Amino acid sequence: MTIRVLLADDQVTVRAAYRMILNSQPDIEVVAEAADGSTAVADARRLRPDVCLLDIRMPGMDGLEATRLLAGPDAEQLLKVVIATTFDLDEYVYTALQHGACGYVLKDCSPALLIEAVRAAAVGDSLISPSVTVRLLQHMSSQPVSHRGRSGQGTPPLHDPLTPREQEVVAMVAQGRTNDEVAAALYITLSTVKTHLGSIQRKLGARNRVEVAARAWQHGLV
């Protein structure tokens, strides 16, 4: 299955570089490009791409507001958004994730990381640049984590206690490890890691691995 991607960045050279990187993959196709947030939102709602790759600073509507409209709790039809930006700022990262983004990478990341972030988003997973992961999660540990359709302050309670193996998986996810790295470190298969993550998400009431990691910090599991 081909992953259809919409690019939004006000710099033509950046869009060209992303297009070249992503289109070089047999399972990814760039189907639209936009130079501002408003155009990105309109095109995304019309084309329904599998992943929207958005910059933050753009003319008119910025990428954070576009993310809220496309992936936030009040979005008409939820789309998957990955932020790609030069700004390594906690406020931007946290706001993007609160608005529903399922990935946050820096523009100086490797092509492999950009591709991995797009693929992760397409299957409902999340990826954040390793350089900001632990710092971000430490920040999120002191903040309420939003849950679509729910509101409230404080740390959501555990639905069920985690097993010892699930605690190991959670700890590694909260340290920014990928599924492949978790599988290698624990000597288990990738499918077993995904099974554990599914159970962990249910017990923690988390939508994705970003919220799994955040809840792990909040519950003192890391």
Side-chain angles (χ1 to χ4, degrees), residues 10 56 65 73 86 97-98 102 135 147-148 154 168 185:
D10 60 340
I56 287 183
E65 177 63 10
T86 57
L97 297 177
Q98 288 292 86
C102 53
R135 190 184 75 241
H147 192 288
R148 212 155 279 176
E168 291 179 320

Side-chain angles (χ1 to χ4, degrees), residues 82-102:
V82 173
I83 295 292
T85 182
T86 57
F87 300 101
D88 182 9
L89 301 176
D90 288 347
E91 179 184 357
Y92 282 167
V93 181
Y94 186 67
T95 300
L97 297 177
Q98 288 292 86
H99 285 181
C102 53

